[in-house]
Amino acid sequence: MAEQYDLIVLGSGPGGYVAAIRAAQLGLKTAIVERENLGGICLNWGCIPTKALLRSAEVFHQMKHAKAYGLAADNVSADIAAVVARSRGVAKQLNQGVTHLMKKNKIAVHMGAGVLKAPGTLEVTSDKGTETLTAKHIIVATGARARDLPFAPADGNRVWTYRHAMTPKELPSNLLVIGSGAIGIEFASFYNDMGSKVTVVEALDRVVPVEDADVSAFLEKSLTKQGLTVLTGAGVEALTVGATGVKAKIKTKDGKVTEGDYSHVIVAIGIVPNTEAIGLEALGVKTERGIIQVDGYGRTGIPGLWAIGDVTPGPWLAHKASHEGVTTAEAIAAELGNKDVHPHPLDRSNIPGCTYCHPQIASVGLTEAKAKEAGHDIKVGNFPFIGNGKAIALGESDGFVKTVFDAKTGELLGAHMVGAEVTEMIQGFVIGKTLETTEAELINTVFPHPTISESMHESVLSAFGRTIHM
């Protein structure tokens, strides 16, 4: 006899487990199916453990520059095995936290690989056998995996994906990072701070190409100053993997092909949604390049079947998946007759992006170029950290805040930051955009002193010719 639920969530990443919790809070009998670790990639092999690694690198960087603060820290060294062990310990702690949340919310956990067999029917296979679960609604939240180079698939020895890069057996002496999106740049920053010689290759004409052009230019200059080699407009044409290293042929922007020797390579060229072999085709689910097409509430077009997270259109971010999880759970509850929930469709224009390299990057909304392309007459503000007292006191005066406004209405169209702790500050602008704020509200907001967040205020003032400290 198949176990019957109101909702089954396939996948327990930051989208899946949040959807399950919200559904349980709304009184739905809920189950979650996971083939590997509760918490998914983000918690176990992505967002959280990488931030633990980056924190170690940040502390190590500060120790090596202690003299700048009037301190002495001589002969400092790093134990990469201990750094990795700390990172894995953080991931384990949070994995246990998700396990606790499942029990607390009375969510049934089925460990195994799930396959959709029919509308409302999921077959789960594990080493213990196969069981059939049924539900009125099913959410697909199976996430994504790293994309391989077609001519040099990752082997975990010399050619790594992000997963291999989180648990290195040794510190690379000479590292090649292919791709300068968030994942590539974070690992380039981490390994550079840990002492590796790092080269970054990006096919497009600038690093972190989804960010504002001014942020990209600032980051490239900063990375180069830190000792990284950055090659933009370049591509890796071949990798020859040996027992002790990798030989790479790189075509640079001037059309020349050079050869270089590297101890390790990290491939960070995007992700592939985990939508194969889970039964979508048989149910007639519409996908484009493996990505499930959904409406603003997660509906797939197949009654009772929903999708969230990295299997749906981007941006492919953990916080976007979590937000979708809540929205979809509430939409399902509403369909089942709950009149107390009022879900709102996802607004992709208000999703922040954060990159935890050194220096950090954070942004929300339109870049200056995109705002112009959209036909806006704009006002742009820019305030450098060198004009901020707290940033100078911290020894973190490299960075800036840039804001983009509609000149006619005063609407905040976008905000872009690079520098210390900007990933913590961006939410101020996200809230502002969500509330449809204009420059008037931001100008009349009192910012605490001394904080780096005062740069946010000054950037707004700059856009309207009212800067105080520059």
Side-chain angles (χ1 to χ4, degrees):
M1 189 77 177
E3 290 194 57
Q4 175 71 42
Y5 296 96
D6 295 317
L7 171 65
I8 300 169
V9 183
L10 179 58
S12 73
Y17 86 75
V18 168
I21 290 172
R22 184 64 184 129
Q25 289 174 342
L26 293 169
L28 304 187
K29 184 181 179 183
T30 305
I32 197 161
V33 175
E34 172 56 53
R35 68 181 181 181
E36 190 174 3
N37 302 114
L38 288 174
I41 291 296
C42 174
L43 190 152
N44 294 282
W45 293 101
C47 320
I48 299 300
T50 56
K51 303 312 160 284
L53 292 174
L54 286 161
R55 176 59 174 166
S56 292
E58 179 185 9
V59 173
F60 189 43
H61 174 86
Q62 298 287 22
M63 291 169 67
K64 290 188 292 183
H65 294 82
K67 188 176 181 179
Y69 298 88
L71 306 173
D74 299 326
N75 301 317
V76 297
S77 62
D79 181 344
I80 190 64
V83 169
V84 170
R86 177 182 180 272
S87 170
R88 300 316 307 155
V90 169
K92 181 179 179 181
Q93 180 180 342
L94 291 172
N95 169 267
Q96 292 170 343
V98 174
T99 300
H100 166 73
L101 290 171
M102 296 299 101
K103 292 179 180 177
K104 176 185 175 182
N105 290 281
K106 299 180 174 56
I107 297 165
V109 177
H110 297 266
M111 299 301 295
V115 177
L116 296 159
K117 305 304 288 186
T121 302
L122 191 74
E123 190 175 87
V124 182
T125 302
S126 67
D127 54 8
K128 296 179 181 178
T130 299
E131 59 180 337
T132 300
L133 313 178
T134 61
K136 299 170 186 175
H137 296 272
I138 295 175
I139 297 175
V140 177
T142 46
R145 62 189 184 277
R147 187 183 300 277
D148 262 329
L149 278 176
F151 53 84
D155 59 12
N157 184 28
R158 294 293 164 186
V159 181
W160 295 346
T161 64
Y162 62 82
R163 189 156 178 163
H164 306 119
M166 271 186 278
T167 55
K169 298 175 184 176
E170 59 189 352
L171 192 65
S173 58
N174 192 358
L175 175 66
L176 175 64
V177 178
I178 305 174
S180 75
I183 293 173
I185 285 296
E186 286 184 2
F187 278 114
S189 186
F190 168 73
Y191 279 107
N192 179 69
D193 276 343
M194 295 302 292
S196 301
K197 181 180 178 183
V198 179
T199 299
V200 177
V201 173
E202 169 56 53
L204 298 180
D205 61 355
R206 55 192 177 92
V207 294
V208 288
V210 301
E211 300 293 345
D212 187 89
D214 287 343
V215 171
S216 294
F218 186 95
L219 180 64
E220 181 173 346
K221 183 178 179 180
S222 178
L223 294 176
T224 302
K225 185 178 178 181
Q226 293 174 53
L228 286 83
T229 299
V230 179
L231 303 175
T232 56
V236 176
E237 298 205 325
L239 292 178
T240 304
V241 182
T244 59
V246 181
K247 187 177 291 293
K249 286 187 177 181
I250 300 172
K251 187 174 184 179
T252 54
K253 66 173 62 178
D254 59 7
K256 295 180 180 179
V257 177
T258 62
E259 285 195 1
D261 293 308
Y262 303 91
S263 64
H264 300 80
V265 176
I266 295 177
V267 179
I269 56 173
I271 59 174
V272 180
N274 294 321
T275 50
E276 314 98 326
I278 60 173
L280 296 177
E281 299 84 357
L283 297 185
V285 177
K286 183 181 178 182
T287 63
E288 293 181 11
R289 297 182 179 179
I291 296 171
I292 302 171
Q293 302 305 298
V294 294
D295 69 4
Y297 298 93
R299 297 185 182 92
T300 65
I302 306 299
L305 187 65
W306 311 69
I308 61 175
D310 287 356
V311 297
T312 64
W316 297 291
L317 302 167
H319 45 278
K320 175 255 195 183
S322 294
H323 190 89
E324 286 177 317
V326 171
T327 297
T328 300
E330 291 182 350
I332 290 169
E335 285 200 7
L336 291 175
N338 189 323
K339 299 186 184 301
D340 295 325
V341 293
H342 307 283
H344 295 274
L346 177 69
D347 183 353
R348 296 174 189 277
S349 68
N350 288 341
I351 300 173
C354 296
T355 304
Y356 299 81
C357 50
H358 180 213
Q360 295 180 6
I361 298 170
S363 61
V364 65
L366 298 177
T367 64
E368 180 179 352
K370 290 292 184 183
K372 290 178 180 176
E373 287 177 19
H376 292 280
D377 180 15
I378 62 173
K379 287 183 178 291
V380 177
N382 198 312
F383 189 81
F385 279 13
I386 193 63
N388 178 269
K390 179 68 177 292
I392 295 172
L394 291 177
E396 298 285 1
S397 59
D398 287 339
F400 65 84
V401 178
K402 179 177 180 178
T403 45
V404 183
F405 292 88
D406 185 283
K408 296 176 182 178
T409 66
E411 177 189 358
L412 175 63
L413 300 174
H416 311 276
M417 308 177 178
V418 57
E421 301 307 322
V422 297
T423 58
E424 297 291 341
M425 299 195 307
I426 191 63
Q427 192 61 16
F429 283 133
V430 177
I431 293 171
K433 280 191 89 283
T434 301
L435 295 176
E436 299 181 350
T437 191
T438 68
E439 93 289 355
E441 289 81 19
L442 291 169
I443 286 174
N444 290 308
T445 296
V446 178
F447 284 72
H449 174 79
T451 62
I452 303 178
S453 70
E454 291 173 279
S455 297
M456 299 166 63
H457 193 212
E458 292 277 11
S459 178
V460 177
L461 293 171
S462 169
F464 294 87
R466 293 177 52 179
T467 312
I468 300 295
H469 289 99
M470 186 59 61

